[in-house]
Amino acid sequence: MDEATLQATLANPENLGEMTDADAVGTVGSPDCGDMLRMWLKYKEVDGRKVIDKASFQSFGCQTAIAVASMATRLIQGKTREEALQLSAQELSAPLGPLPPMKIHCGQMVEGALKAALDAESAPTISSPITPTQNTAPTLSDSLPPAHAPGKVKIVFTS
Ligand code: FES
């Protein structure tokens, strides 16, 4: 994994925070570590095609998940739903280089949140091993189960 790219992305993560005018939202929790990630999508029409205008995220996850989510929100801009659905966790995290085995699930959590958001407009199905939650609490902190005690998760506050 490219540590310099990771640190540079974390120093200035893009598209971090809730999107109040989103068209779709997807939330997943990772069974591997108990972290959570939520992604919002906003679409627009370009030349008769519906494409992703912008995306944002909130994460109670590790640094790798935050960096991959930031990169993913950039990567999917301008893509159709179908194009975005084709993206794997490996492709979403490509700028970081290959993730070490213990960090692969972090990228999969981002992929799961993206697919949950993409599916939110159609059938609520998901092909990722990450389990989408049914929780639609307005902020990710509202989604945390009681067992997710403060101090055990990394909380990223957004403005
Ligand atoms: Fe949980 Fe990375 S360790 S998302």
Side-chain angles (χ1 to χ4, degrees), residues 87-113:
L87 294 169
S88 66
Q90 197 176 358
E91 290 168 311
L92 295 172
S93 62
L96 287 177
L99 300 180
M102 66 183 297
K103 289 293 180 184
I104 287 176
H105 75 274
C106 313
Q108 289 173 336
M109 184 169 74
V110 177
E111 179 190 358

PDB file of all heavy atoms in Angstrom, residues 87-113:
ATOM      1  N   LEU A  87     -17.523  -1.206 -10.631  1.00  0.00           N
ATOM      2  CA  LEU A  87     -16.256  -0.931  -9.945  1.00  0.00           C
ATOM      3  C   LEU A  87     -16.080  -1.846  -8.731  1.00  0.00           C
ATOM      4  O   LEU A  87     -16.952  -1.927  -7.874  1.00  0.00           O
ATOM      5  CB  LEU A  87     -16.213   0.540  -9.510  1.00  0.00           C
ATOM      6  CG  LEU A  87     -16.185   1.552 -10.660  1.00  0.00           C
ATOM      7  CD1 LEU A  87     -16.421   2.963 -10.131  1.00  0.00           C
ATOM      8  CD2 LEU A  87     -14.858   1.472 -11.399  1.00  0.00           C
ATOM      9  N   SER A  88     -14.923  -2.468  -8.687  1.00  0.00           N
ATOM     10  CA  SER A  88     -14.622  -3.361  -7.562  1.00  0.00           C
ATOM     11  C   SER A  88     -13.899  -2.578  -6.465  1.00  0.00           C
ATOM     12  O   SER A  88     -13.422  -1.460  -6.688  1.00  0.00           O
ATOM     13  CB  SER A  88     -13.723  -4.497  -8.045  1.00  0.00           C
ATOM     14  OG  SER A  88     -12.459  -3.969  -8.432  1.00  0.00           O
ATOM     15  N   ALA A  89     -13.799  -3.188  -5.315  1.00  0.00           N
ATOM     16  CA  ALA A  89     -13.051  -2.571  -4.214  1.00  0.00           C
ATOM     17  C   ALA A  89     -11.609  -2.319  -4.636  1.00  0.00           C
ATOM     18  O   ALA A  89     -11.008  -1.302  -4.276  1.00  0.00           O
ATOM     19  CB  ALA A  89     -13.107  -3.479  -2.990  1.00  0.00           C
ATOM     20  N   GLN A  90     -11.071  -3.217  -5.414  1.00  0.00           N
ATOM     21  CA  GLN A  90      -9.683  -3.078  -5.887  1.00  0.00           C
ATOM     22  C   GLN A  90      -9.544  -1.846  -6.783  1.00  0.00           C
ATOM     23  O   GLN A  90      -8.567  -1.101  -6.677  1.00  0.00           O
ATOM     24  CB  GLN A  90      -9.298  -4.343  -6.649  1.00  0.00           C
ATOM     25  CG  GLN A  90      -7.816  -4.520  -6.827  1.00  0.00           C
ATOM     26  CD  GLN A  90      -7.487  -5.837  -7.504  1.00  0.00           C
ATOM     27  OE1 GLN A  90      -8.356  -6.629  -7.816  1.00  0.00           O
ATOM     28  NE2 GLN A  90      -6.204  -6.053  -7.734  1.00  0.00           N
ATOM     29  N   GLU A  91     -10.525  -1.638  -7.650  1.00  0.00           N
ATOM     30  CA  GLU A  91     -10.476  -0.466  -8.536  1.00  0.00           C
ATOM     31  C   GLU A  91     -10.680   0.825  -7.752  1.00  0.00           C
ATOM     32  O   GLU A  91     -10.042   1.840  -8.034  1.00  0.00           O
ATOM     33  CB  GLU A  91     -11.532  -0.605  -9.641  1.00  0.00           C
ATOM     34  CG  GLU A  91     -11.194  -1.694 -10.642  1.00  0.00           C
ATOM     35  CD  GLU A  91     -12.364  -2.036 -11.559  1.00  0.00           C
ATOM     36  OE1 GLU A  91     -13.484  -2.253 -11.058  1.00  0.00           O
ATOM     37  OE2 GLU A  91     -12.133  -2.097 -12.769  1.00  0.00           O
ATOM     38  N   LEU A  92     -11.568   0.790  -6.780  1.00  0.00           N
ATOM     39  CA  LEU A  92     -11.828   1.986  -5.984  1.00  0.00           C
ATOM     40  C   LEU A  92     -10.599   2.405  -5.182  1.00  0.00           C
ATOM     41  O   LEU A  92     -10.373   3.579  -4.935  1.00  0.00           O
ATOM     42  CB  LEU A  92     -13.012   1.744  -5.033  1.00  0.00           C
ATOM     43  CG  LEU A  92     -14.377   1.509  -5.688  1.00  0.00           C
ATOM     44  CD1 LEU A  92     -15.403   1.100  -4.652  1.00  0.00           C
ATOM     45  CD2 LEU A  92     -14.850   2.740  -6.445  1.00  0.00           C
ATOM     46  N   SER A  93      -9.798   1.436  -4.774  1.00  0.00           N
ATOM     47  CA  SER A  93      -8.620   1.733  -3.949  1.00  0.00           C
ATOM     48  C   SER A  93      -7.334   1.742  -4.757  1.00  0.00           C
ATOM     49  O   SER A  93      -6.246   1.822  -4.176  1.00  0.00           O
ATOM     50  CB  SER A  93      -8.515   0.712  -2.809  1.00  0.00           C
ATOM     51  OG  SER A  93      -8.347  -0.587  -3.334  1.00  0.00           O
ATOM     52  N   ALA A  94      -7.431   1.691  -6.080  1.00  0.00           N
ATOM     53  CA  ALA A  94      -6.251   1.575  -6.943  1.00  0.00           C
ATOM     54  C   ALA A  94      -5.163   2.622  -6.665  1.00  0.00           C
ATOM     55  O   ALA A  94      -3.978   2.286  -6.658  1.00  0.00           O
ATOM     56  CB  ALA A  94      -6.677   1.614  -8.407  1.00  0.00           C
ATOM     57  N   PRO A  95      -5.520   3.901  -6.406  1.00  0.00           N
ATOM     58  CA  PRO A  95      -4.454   4.878  -6.164  1.00  0.00           C
ATOM     59  C   PRO A  95      -3.591   4.544  -4.952  1.00  0.00           C
ATOM     60  O   PRO A  95      -2.461   5.025  -4.841  1.00  0.00           O
ATOM     61  CB  PRO A  95      -5.216   6.192  -5.938  1.00  0.00           C
ATOM     62  CG  PRO A  95      -6.516   5.995  -6.640  1.00  0.00           C
ATOM     63  CD  PRO A  95      -6.848   4.546  -6.462  1.00  0.00           C
ATOM     64  N   LEU A  96      -4.119   3.735  -4.050  1.00  0.00           N
ATOM     65  CA  LEU A  96      -3.347   3.350  -2.862  1.00  0.00           C
ATOM     66  C   LEU A  96      -2.440   2.156  -3.133  1.00  0.00           C
ATOM     67  O   LEU A  96      -1.626   1.800  -2.288  1.00  0.00           O
ATOM     68  CB  LEU A  96      -4.288   2.985  -1.706  1.00  0.00           C
ATOM     69  CG  LEU A  96      -5.023   4.119  -1.021  1.00  0.00           C
ATOM     70  CD1 LEU A  96      -5.964   3.566   0.031  1.00  0.00           C
ATOM     71  CD2 LEU A  96      -4.034   5.092  -0.394  1.00  0.00           C
ATOM     72  N   GLY A  97      -2.586   1.547  -4.300  1.00  0.00           N
ATOM     73  CA  GLY A  97      -1.845   0.322  -4.566  1.00  0.00           C
ATOM     74  C   GLY A  97      -2.530  -0.845  -3.884  1.00  0.00           C
ATOM     75  O   GLY A  97      -3.564  -0.675  -3.225  1.00  0.00           O
ATOM     76  N   PRO A  98      -1.958  -2.030  -4.032  1.00  0.00           N
ATOM     77  CA  PRO A  98      -2.595  -3.212  -3.428  1.00  0.00           C
ATOM     78  C   PRO A  98      -2.700  -3.079  -1.910  1.00  0.00           C
ATOM     79  O   PRO A  98      -1.731  -2.720  -1.250  1.00  0.00           O
ATOM     80  CB  PRO A  98      -1.641  -4.355  -3.805  1.00  0.00           C
ATOM     81  CG  PRO A  98      -0.791  -3.819  -4.914  1.00  0.00           C
ATOM     82  CD  PRO A  98      -0.718  -2.326  -4.726  1.00  0.00           C
ATOM     83  N   LEU A  99      -3.884  -3.338  -1.391  1.00  0.00           N
ATOM     84  CA  LEU A  99      -4.077  -3.273   0.057  1.00  0.00           C
ATOM     85  C   LEU A  99      -3.539  -4.553   0.695  1.00  0.00           C
ATOM     86  O   LEU A  99      -3.677  -5.634   0.131  1.00  0.00           O
ATOM     87  CB  LEU A  99      -5.565  -3.119   0.394  1.00  0.00           C
ATOM     88  CG  LEU A  99      -6.277  -1.872  -0.149  1.00  0.00           C
ATOM     89  CD1 LEU A  99      -7.743  -1.871   0.287  1.00  0.00           C
ATOM     90  CD2 LEU A  99      -5.586  -0.600   0.320  1.00  0.00           C
ATOM     91  N   PRO A 100      -2.926  -4.433   1.878  1.00  0.00           N
ATOM     92  CA  PRO A 100      -2.485  -5.640   2.576  1.00  0.00           C
ATOM     93  C   PRO A 100      -3.699  -6.481   2.960  1.00  0.00           C
ATOM     94  O   PRO A 100      -4.813  -5.948   3.108  1.00  0.00           O
ATOM     95  CB  PRO A 100      -1.760  -5.095   3.808  1.00  0.00           C
ATOM     96  CG  PRO A 100      -2.243  -3.704   3.971  1.00  0.00           C
ATOM     97  CD  PRO A 100      -2.637  -3.205   2.622  1.00  0.00           C
ATOM     98  N   PRO A 101      -3.516  -7.782   3.120  1.00  0.00           N
ATOM     99  CA  PRO A 101      -4.660  -8.679   3.391  1.00  0.00           C
ATOM    100  C   PRO A 101      -5.564  -8.199   4.524  1.00  0.00           C
ATOM    101  O   PRO A 101      -6.791  -8.287   4.419  1.00  0.00           O
ATOM    102  CB  PRO A 101      -3.981 -10.004   3.744  1.00  0.00           C
ATOM    103  CG  PRO A 101      -2.678  -9.957   3.013  1.00  0.00           C
ATOM    104  CD  PRO A 101      -2.246  -8.507   3.020  1.00  0.00           C
ATOM    105  N   MET A 102      -4.987  -7.661   5.570  1.00  0.00           N
ATOM    106  CA  MET A 102      -5.818  -7.256   6.714  1.00  0.00           C
ATOM    107  C   MET A 102      -6.593  -5.964   6.454  1.00  0.00           C
ATOM    108  O   MET A 102      -7.418  -5.550   7.283  1.00  0.00           O
ATOM    109  CB  MET A 102      -4.962  -7.112   7.979  1.00  0.00           C
ATOM    110  CG  MET A 102      -3.963  -5.983   7.910  1.00  0.00           C
ATOM    111  SD  MET A 102      -2.913  -5.882   9.377  1.00  0.00           S
ATOM    112  CE  MET A 102      -4.126  -5.525  10.633  1.00  0.00           C
ATOM    113  N   LYS A 103      -6.345  -5.321   5.298  1.00  0.00           N
ATOM    114  CA  LYS A 103      -7.049  -4.078   4.956  1.00  0.00           C
ATOM    115  C   LYS A 103      -7.990  -4.239   3.764  1.00  0.00           C
ATOM    116  O   LYS A 103      -8.640  -3.272   3.359  1.00  0.00           O
ATOM    117  CB  LYS A 103      -6.031  -2.968   4.651  1.00  0.00           C
ATOM    118  CG  LYS A 103      -5.289  -2.467   5.884  1.00  0.00           C
ATOM    119  CD  LYS A 103      -6.246  -1.743   6.803  1.00  0.00           C
ATOM    120  CE  LYS A 103      -5.584  -1.205   8.054  1.00  0.00           C
ATOM    121  NZ  LYS A 103      -6.549  -0.596   8.977  1.00  0.00           N
ATOM    122  N   ILE A 104      -8.058  -5.423   3.213  1.00  0.00           N
ATOM    123  CA  ILE A 104      -8.910  -5.636   2.042  1.00  0.00           C
ATOM    124  C   ILE A 104     -10.379  -5.375   2.381  1.00  0.00           C
ATOM    125  O   ILE A 104     -11.125  -4.791   1.596  1.00  0.00           O
ATOM    126  CB  ILE A 104      -8.690  -7.061   1.485  1.00  0.00           C
ATOM    127  CG1 ILE A 104      -7.321  -7.113   0.796  1.00  0.00           C
ATOM    128  CG2 ILE A 104      -9.799  -7.451   0.499  1.00  0.00           C
ATOM    129  CD1 ILE A 104      -6.910  -8.464   0.292  1.00  0.00           C
ATOM    130  N   HIS A 105     -10.802  -5.767   3.565  1.00  0.00           N
ATOM    131  CA  HIS A 105     -12.214  -5.561   3.926  1.00  0.00           C
ATOM    132  C   HIS A 105     -12.564  -4.079   4.033  1.00  0.00           C
ATOM    133  O   HIS A 105     -13.727  -3.702   3.907  1.00  0.00           O
ATOM    134  CB  HIS A 105     -12.551  -6.290   5.235  1.00  0.00           C
ATOM    135  CG  HIS A 105     -12.010  -5.609   6.452  1.00  0.00           C
ATOM    136  ND1 HIS A 105     -10.735  -5.839   6.916  1.00  0.00           N
ATOM    137  CD2 HIS A 105     -12.556  -4.689   7.288  1.00  0.00           C
ATOM    138  CE1 HIS A 105     -10.536  -5.094   7.998  1.00  0.00           C
ATOM    139  NE2 HIS A 105     -11.618  -4.389   8.239  1.00  0.00           N
ATOM    140  N   CYS A 106     -11.564  -3.232   4.246  1.00  0.00           N
ATOM    141  CA  CYS A 106     -11.823  -1.789   4.340  1.00  0.00           C
ATOM    142  C   CYS A 106     -12.300  -1.271   2.982  1.00  0.00           C
ATOM    143  O   CYS A 106     -13.254  -0.496   2.908  1.00  0.00           O
ATOM    144  CB  CYS A 106     -10.566  -1.048   4.777  1.00  0.00           C
ATOM    145  SG  CYS A 106      -9.719  -1.791   6.182  1.00  0.00           S
ATOM    146  N   GLY A 107     -11.619  -1.708   1.914  1.00  0.00           N
ATOM    147  CA  GLY A 107     -12.048  -1.341   0.562  1.00  0.00           C
ATOM    148  C   GLY A 107     -13.392  -1.964   0.225  1.00  0.00           C
ATOM    149  O   GLY A 107     -14.222  -1.345  -0.448  1.00  0.00           O
ATOM    150  N   GLN A 108     -13.606  -3.177   0.710  1.00  0.00           N
ATOM    151  CA  GLN A 108     -14.884  -3.855   0.436  1.00  0.00           C
ATOM    152  C   GLN A 108     -16.038  -3.129   1.130  1.00  0.00           C
ATOM    153  O   GLN A 108     -17.166  -3.121   0.628  1.00  0.00           O
ATOM    154  CB  GLN A 108     -14.807  -5.308   0.897  1.00  0.00           C
ATOM    155  CG  GLN A 108     -13.903  -6.152   0.026  1.00  0.00           C
ATOM    156  CD  GLN A 108     -13.695  -7.551   0.576  1.00  0.00           C
ATOM    157  OE1 GLN A 108     -13.827  -7.785   1.775  1.00  0.00           O
ATOM    158  NE2 GLN A 108     -13.373  -8.488  -0.299  1.00  0.00           N
ATOM    159  N   MET A 109     -15.758  -2.523   2.268  1.00  0.00           N
ATOM    160  CA  MET A 109     -16.812  -1.774   2.956  1.00  0.00           C
ATOM    161  C   MET A 109     -17.222  -0.566   2.117  1.00  0.00           C
ATOM    162  O   MET A 109     -18.414  -0.238   2.013  1.00  0.00           O
ATOM    163  CB  MET A 109     -16.338  -1.339   4.349  1.00  0.00           C
ATOM    164  CG  MET A 109     -17.431  -0.644   5.144  1.00  0.00           C
ATOM    165  SD  MET A 109     -17.013  -0.399   6.879  1.00  0.00           S
ATOM    166  CE  MET A 109     -15.833   0.944   6.759  1.00  0.00           C
ATOM    167  N   VAL A 110     -16.235   0.094   1.494  1.00  0.00           N
ATOM    168  CA  VAL A 110     -16.547   1.234   0.623  1.00  0.00           C
ATOM    169  C   VAL A 110     -17.350   0.754  -0.582  1.00  0.00           C
ATOM    170  O   VAL A 110     -18.361   1.370  -0.955  1.00  0.00           O
ATOM    171  CB  VAL A 110     -15.249   1.936   0.166  1.00  0.00           C
ATOM    172  CG1 VAL A 110     -15.585   3.075  -0.806  1.00  0.00           C
ATOM    173  CG2 VAL A 110     -14.485   2.466   1.369  1.00  0.00           C
ATOM    174  N   GLU A 111     -16.922  -0.340  -1.181  1.00  0.00           N
ATOM    175  CA  GLU A 111     -17.658  -0.897  -2.315  1.00  0.00           C
ATOM    176  C   GLU A 111     -19.090  -1.238  -1.898  1.00  0.00           C
ATOM    177  O   GLU A 111     -20.050  -0.974  -2.627  1.00  0.00           O
ATOM    178  CB  GLU A 111     -16.954  -2.158  -2.836  1.00  0.00           C
ATOM    179  CG  GLU A 111     -17.685  -2.804  -4.013  1.00  0.00           C
ATOM    180  CD  GLU A 111     -17.133  -4.180  -4.364  1.00  0.00           C
ATOM    181  OE1 GLU A 111     -16.156  -4.626  -3.733  1.00  0.00           O
ATOM    182  OE2 GLU A 111     -17.706  -4.814  -5.262  1.00  0.00           O
ATOM    183  N   GLY A 112     -19.236  -1.794  -0.712  1.00  0.00           N
ATOM    184  CA  GLY A 112     -20.566  -2.168  -0.232  1.00  0.00           C
ATOM    185  C   GLY A 112     -21.464  -0.959  -0.035  1.00  0.00           C
ATOM    186  O   GLY A 112     -22.639  -0.984  -0.397  1.00  0.00           O
ATOM    187  N   ALA A 113     -20.911   0.117   0.519  1.00  0.00           N
ATOM    188  CA  ALA A 113     -21.714   1.331   0.727  1.00  0.00           C
ATOM    189  C   ALA A 113     -22.093   1.947  -0.611  1.00  0.00           C
ATOM    190  O   ALA A 113     -23.230   2.413  -0.797  1.00  0.00           O
ATOM    191  CB  ALA A 113     -20.934   2.335   1.570  1.00  0.00           C
TER     192      ALA A 113
END
